[in-house]
Structures are given as structure tokens and as C-alpha cells.
């Protein structure tokens, strides 16, 4: 009776052994994952730091673009909203039909925004849609029309409250 109990227990032991084997495999998998985590730890940290730096850079680009676009849609003398086509005409110092980086920087100074070379490059990248190195009236108008409409709406709201 005791032998039959042992035999029946032994016959069921492969299941237990499978469980034990699975447990050993699970330990092996966990050990492997820990090794992978240790191996990927510095890489994950680098990816996280890069993502944080990219996010910070994106926020800075957005802040800079907003500052520049807001300055460009206002008349530098009166401070009132100015049509983007007029802004283009003001920036196009030589009347050549395009605005180069030098004309752009000069125009920004007139608007009260003194940009570094790096800042000019960032804003230029947002405005020079076709990447040819010059801004056309269409490129400037496309970028500035939304900002211009926002300012007009705020001015209309302010005026209606008077």
C-alpha cells in the first residue's frame, strides 16, 4: 500500500518535475531579463536623456517661433496687426521678390527681436518651407496668416470691450 502510494506519487512526479523545470526556466528567464536590463540600462538612460533633450529643444523652438511670428505680424511702429503681405514687403529690402537671411535678420531687429545666428537658423527652418534658402511671399504669408488672425481677433475683442 505504501509502495503503491509511492509509485502513484512517482508517476505523477513528471508533472511536478515539469513544474520544477518550468520554475528553473522561469528563473533562467528572469536572470536573462536582469542581464538584458543591465545591458540595456545605459542605452535606455541615453534614449531617455535624448528624448528629454529633444523635448526641451522642441519647446525652445516653439517659444522662439511664437516670439518671432508675433513680432512679424505687428507693425513695428504702431504695434497694430499687420497683413503678412505687408510684412513681406517690409522684409524684402531690395524688392527682389524674395527675402534672404540677412534681410530677415535686419527685419527682425526693426521688430525688436535680435536673433543669434543659431536662432535665425531655427526660425528660418520653420519658414523656408521649400528649403531653397529664400523666403517667398507665399511662404511668409502661409506661416504668418494664422498668427495674424489670432492677433486681429484679440484686437477686435479688446476694441469691442471699450
Amino acid at each position: 500500500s505504501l509502495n503503491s502510494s509511492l509509485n502513484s506519487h512517482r508517476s505523477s512526479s513528471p508533472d511536478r518535475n515539469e513544474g520544477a523545470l518550468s520554475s528553473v526556466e522561469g528563473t533562467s528567464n528572469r536572470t536573462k531579463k536582469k542581464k538584458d536590463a543591465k545591458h540595456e540600462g545605459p542605452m535606455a538612460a541615453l534614449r531617455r536623456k535624448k528624448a528629454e533633450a529633444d523635448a526641451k529643444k522642441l519647446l525652445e523652438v516653439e517659444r522662439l517661433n511664437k516670439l518671432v511670428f508675433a513680432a512679424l505680424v505687428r507693425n513695428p511702429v504702431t504695434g497694430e496687426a499687420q497683413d503678412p503681405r505687408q510684412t513681406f514687403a517690409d522684409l524684402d529690402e531690395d524688392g527682389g521678390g524674395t527675402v534672404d537671411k540677412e534681410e530677415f535678420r535686419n527685419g527682425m531687429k526693426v521688430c525688436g527681436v535680435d536673433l543669434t545666428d543659431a536662432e535665425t537658423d531655427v526660425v528660418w527652418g520653420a519658414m523656408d518651407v521649400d528649403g531653397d534658402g529664400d523666403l517667398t511671399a507665399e511662404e511668409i504669408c502661409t506661416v504668418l496668416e494664422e498668427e495674424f488672425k489670432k492677433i486681429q481677433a484679440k484686437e477686435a475683442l479688446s476694441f469691442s470691450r471699450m
Side-chain angles (χ1 to χ4, degrees), residues 12-31:
S12 68
S13 63
D15 293 336
R16 277 191 29 200
N17 287 342
E18 281 180 23
L21 185 58
S22 294
S23 177
V24 170
E25 286 173 356
T27 303
S28 175
N29 286 339
R30 281 192 295 265
T31 305

Side-chain angles (χ1 to χ4, degrees), residues 99-110:
V99 174
D100 61 30
K101 277 190 183 180
E102 184 179 339
E103 290 173 315
F104 180 75
R105 282 190 73 181
N106 291 342
M108 291 311 307
K109 285 179 186 173
V110 169

Side-chain angles (χ1 to χ4, degrees), residues 53-69:
D54 288 348
K56 188 175 182 180
K57 184 178 179 182
L58 182 61
L59 288 174
E60 182 59 23
V61 167
E62 288 174 359
R63 183 199 65 78
L64 184 60
N65 283 344
K66 188 173 182 176
L67 171 73
V68 168
F69 299 162

Side-chain angles (χ1 to χ4, degrees), residues 28 52 61 69 84 111 119 122 142 152-154:
S28 175
E52 288 172 358
V61 167
F69 299 162
C111 292
E119 290 170 332
V122 166
T142 299
Q152 271 190 324
K154 285 179 185 176

